[in-house]
Amino acid sequence: MVKSEISRGTFKIYKADVFDIEELSHLWLNMIYEVVPSPNPRVDWWKSYIEEFMKNDLYHCYYAEIDDKVVGFMDAMLYPYPITGKLYAQCMHTYVLPEYRPNATFVLYKKVLNEGRKHKVDAFELNCFDPTKSFWEKHGMKCFGYHMRKDL
């Protein structure tokens, strides 16, 4: 558990397990409605694949709690990339309720980075939307490519 003092009380970080998926799914839905234009979220799909990921030792999910309220989460998958010969941590989702940003976001990020270091990860990657780009750049992240899509 990582603690950080903020104005509302003690901020704690916990490793998530399958019993946390339901509660985390509400935060996931908040994230979707906040950042995705014209969403059509399938929370049942999300719950299903997160449950499968949790069976894999390379998957790590943490959530932030303040005064017994879950306020955010971050998850990442470790993967060896044969082209570079390096081990990467790919952040899959990050969401923190607006009133707990940026504090909870930063503490979750630190927790995931530290877990990556324990596993000898060479780099940490994440996808972000324009409104959060400057936050991540302030914490050492650099744009190295583009995430592209063609609707069919």
Side-chain angles (χ1 to χ4, degrees):
M1 175 174 55
V2 176
K3 293 183 180 180
S4 173
E5 295 296 320
I6 67 168
S7 61
R8 289 198 167 87
T10 303
F11 176 86
K12 301 173 185 171
I13 302 292
Y14 297 99
K15 185 167 178 66
D17 62 30
V18 294
F19 302 107
D20 300 310
I21 293 173
E22 182 64 35
E23 187 161 12
L24 295 178
S25 72
H26 300 291
L27 290 171
W28 180 81
L29 277 171
N30 285 351
M31 175 188 70
I32 297 305
Y33 287 119
E34 185 176 322
V35 299
V36 178
S38 305
N40 182 26
R42 291 294 309 264
V43 72
D44 54 327
W45 292 0
W46 185 82
K47 289 179 191 179
S48 178
Y49 82 73
I50 293 301
E51 186 172 344
E52 286 303 311
F53 283 151
M54 286 183 168
K55 295 175 184 175
N56 188 326
D57 290 338
L58 298 176
Y59 177 78
H60 300 270
C61 181
Y62 297 93
Y63 65 92
E65 187 179 88
I66 296 173
D67 298 330
D68 297 319
K69 177 182 178 182
V70 176
V71 300
F73 78 103
M74 178 181 270
D75 63 348
M77 181 70 82
L78 307 182
Y79 71 96
Y81 194 46
I83 292 174
T84 62
K86 294 183 177 185
L87 179 63
Y88 293 91
Q90 173 65 50
C91 178
M92 297 165 48
H93 307 96
T94 301
Y95 184 76
V96 173
L97 294 171
E99 62 269 30
Y100 298 98
R101 298 175 195 161
N103 298 30
T105 309
F106 180 68
V107 176
L108 283 163
Y109 172 62
K110 278 181 55 177
K111 177 64 176 172
V112 172
L113 284 183
N114 288 336
E115 285 301 307
R117 287 184 182 107
K118 287 180 189 175
H119 288 84
K120 308 289 188 223
V121 165
D122 295 294
F124 179 78
E125 299 176 342
L126 61 79
N127 297 322
C128 70
F129 293 91
D130 285 336
T132 63
K133 185 176 178 232
S134 64
F135 172 83
W136 294 114
E137 288 173 333
K138 286 178 192 172
H139 295 289
M141 301 295 291
K142 296 178 181 154
C143 184
F144 71 94
Y146 299 94
H147 188 89
M148 301 176 78
R149 174 178 297 144
K150 178 181 175 76
D151 289 336
L152 301 177

